[in-house]
Amino acid sequence: MAKLNLSFACWDYDRVQALMDGSVRPKGIELNFLSMPVEETFFRMMRHQEFDVAELSASSYLLARDRGFPHFTAIPVFPSRFFRHSGVYVNVEAGIRRPEELKGKRIGIPEYQLTACVWIRGFLQHEYGVHPTEVEWFYGGQETPGRVEKFKLELPADIRLQPIGPEQTLNQMLENGDLDAFIAPRAPSCFLKGSPRVKRLFEDYVSVEKDYFRKTGIFPIMHVVAIRNEILERYPWAAQNLYQAFVEAKNKVYEGFNQTAALKVTLPWLVPEVERTKQLMGDDFWPYGLERNRAALEALVHYSHEQGLIKTKLSVEDLFVKSTLEQYTI
């Protein structure tokens, strides 16, 4: 019997490498792996549903479900996760030393609905008391002019959000002082080039993020894996088989981390870093599935609803293909 051929768009993470090289194969499925930057995958999948299976922004996925045009449904696989305290940058002349001092400031964002921005606004509000209504938001291209929101947003009236000029970039505005701060998943180039005018707000962000995890138990989810509904309707077995393959591919990464005879990753102190991570977060520190991720998923839904991005507070069970929410036992 011929295998089901599916296109799969995703960045080439180590946790999907085994799916790329064929050392892990989903039962009954042949994947045509398309490696591309996440922004391109998201744009093409959200606008045109070009791929059978794709990595997708978790925030964009929530908006699609909320607005009633879900051409795809996710499985509880999270190829990208990231503690985002490192993603807050400030112009040093703005005098911002503590998160609370962001109140009343001008903050740049590539898009209001970006998952990283949802998480950052969430912890700024709930951990530091900075409500989204207490700052001025400016959106646009980070490094290139002309970026627009993927969705037409209907935000609360008290959210002050406006586009930057057609020739402006957030990076240049931050360095020039036209913005007081900037939040995004990608570091601005002025920071990467060592500009003395820009720094991270949380300079010891690793310690702050570890404390955040100890307090909340949340390892923020950035991306999900979504399957076109047409595939799910014709081949309902594909979701569970893909889920199992993603788990197996991720477990191969763990196996590599546990090797001490030679380092599989080009990082000198890989072994102690893995040991420290396990001590804080457990052996399966990048979990898939619903239950191990319930707190993070419920927080993301809450923040998205609270920030006016989605109108209905979605149930996390309703976000995923039902067959992937339970596993057989022997």
Side-chain angles (χ1 to χ4, degrees):
M1 182 176 177
K3 290 189 175 183
L4 173 63
N5 286 286
L6 298 178
S7 59
F8 172 41
C10 187
W11 201 32
D12 57 348
Y13 305 105
D14 63 349
R15 42 206 170 271
V16 299
Q17 184 64 45
L19 296 171
M20 292 176 61
D21 64 25
S23 56
V24 170
R25 295 179 181 273
K27 297 172 185 175
I29 296 172
E30 194 71 42
L31 289 177
N32 177 18
F33 195 98
L34 305 169
S35 178
M36 59 187 69
V38 295
E39 291 91 345
E40 181 179 357
T41 301
F42 299 167
F43 182 86
R44 293 171 64 176
M45 189 64 169
M46 292 303 304
R47 291 293 184 95
H48 307 293
Q49 297 81 56
E50 292 185 34
F51 315 111
D52 298 318
V53 185
E55 176 182 14
L56 200 62
S57 155
S59 175
S60 296
Y61 178 64
L62 291 180
L63 266 72
R65 301 289 292 187
D66 181 64
R67 296 186 178 193
F69 54 90
H71 303 290
F72 33 72
T73 305
I75 58 177
V77 167
F78 312 109
S80 178
R81 312 180 72 131
F82 212 120
F83 291 102
R84 288 299 185 185
H85 294 73
S86 63
V88 185
Y89 303 87
V90 297
N91 183 290
V92 296
E93 296 179 5
I96 302 168
R97 296 169 299 278
R98 299 181 297 113
E100 294 84 352
E101 293 172 341
L102 289 168
K103 292 181 180 181
K105 301 299 186 182
R106 302 163 298 173
I107 303 179
I109 47 176
E111 294 180 44
Y112 197 80
Q113 64 87 32
L114 287 184
T115 311
C117 296
V118 175
W119 279 110
I120 293 171
R121 287 193 299 267
F123 74 65
L124 286 176
Q125 178 177 346
H126 290 274
E127 302 296 318
Y128 302 102
V130 182
H131 195 279
T133 60
E134 296 178 295
V135 303
E136 292 184 75
W137 301 101
F138 295 84
Y139 72 92
Q142 178 173 326
E143 306 292 338
T144 306
R147 183 167 179 171
V148 297
E149 293 276 357
K150 294 184 186 68
F151 289 91
K152 179 178 173 57
L153 301 180
E154 299 174 3
L155 299 175
D158 53 358
I159 297 292
R160 293 173 290 169
L161 174 67
Q162 60 182 293
I164 61 176
E167 303 301 322
Q168 292 179 304
T169 67
L170 298 169
N171 174 75
Q172 195 62 53
M173 292 176 71
L174 177 65
E175 188 169 27
N176 290 346
D178 297 322
L179 292 172
D180 302 305
F182 171 73
I183 66 174
R186 291 184 182 272
S189 60
C190 58
F191 174 81
L192 295 175
K193 293 175 181 177
S195 171
R197 305 190 67 188
V198 176
K199 68 173 186 176
R200 280 193 170 102
L201 176 59
F202 298 95
E203 296 188 84
D204 185 15
Y205 61 87
V206 175
S207 295
V208 176
E209 290 168 351
K210 288 182 177 179
D211 287 343
Y212 171 81
F213 180 78
R214 291 187 186 100
K215 178 179 179 180
T216 66
I218 291 172
F219 182 10
I221 289 167
M222 298 294 136
H223 304 165
V224 297
V225 170
I227 307 170
R228 285 197 300 119
N229 286 346
E230 178 186 354
I231 301 298
L232 294 171
E233 289 163 5
R234 294 183 63 187
Y235 310 101
W237 51 268
Q240 180 64 251
N241 288 13
L242 283 167
Y243 175 78
Q244 292 175 0
F246 276 102
V247 171
E248 184 179 351
K250 183 194 65 170
N251 287 341
K252 287 178 74 71
V253 177
Y254 287 160
E255 292 169 9
F257 285 166
N258 292 333
Q259 296 298 322
T260 57
L263 295 173
K264 289 202 72 172
V265 177
T266 313
L267 189 64
W269 289 283
L270 171 68
V271 173
E273 181 60 32
V274 170
E275 290 173 349
R276 284 191 295 268
T277 300
K278 288 181 178 180
Q279 186 175 29
L280 175 63
M281 303 177 71
D283 288 348
D284 184 8
F285 47 81
W286 200 292
Y288 293 163
L290 174 59
E291 289 308 320
R292 289 282 310 280
N293 293 285
R294 182 176 291 277
L297 291 165
E298 289 181 345
L300 181 60
V301 170
H302 177 75
Y303 293 162
S304 185
H305 182 259
E306 183 176 61
Q307 294 169 23
L309 290 167
I310 58 175
K311 306 304 180 186
T312 304
K313 206 166 184 180
L314 304 166
S315 164
V316 294
E317 284 83 0
D318 292 337
L319 299 178
F320 302 104
V321 179
K322 297 302 181 188
S323 65
T324 63
L325 300 185
E326 56 184 5
Q327 303 296 314
Y328 75 92
T329 58
I330 297 177

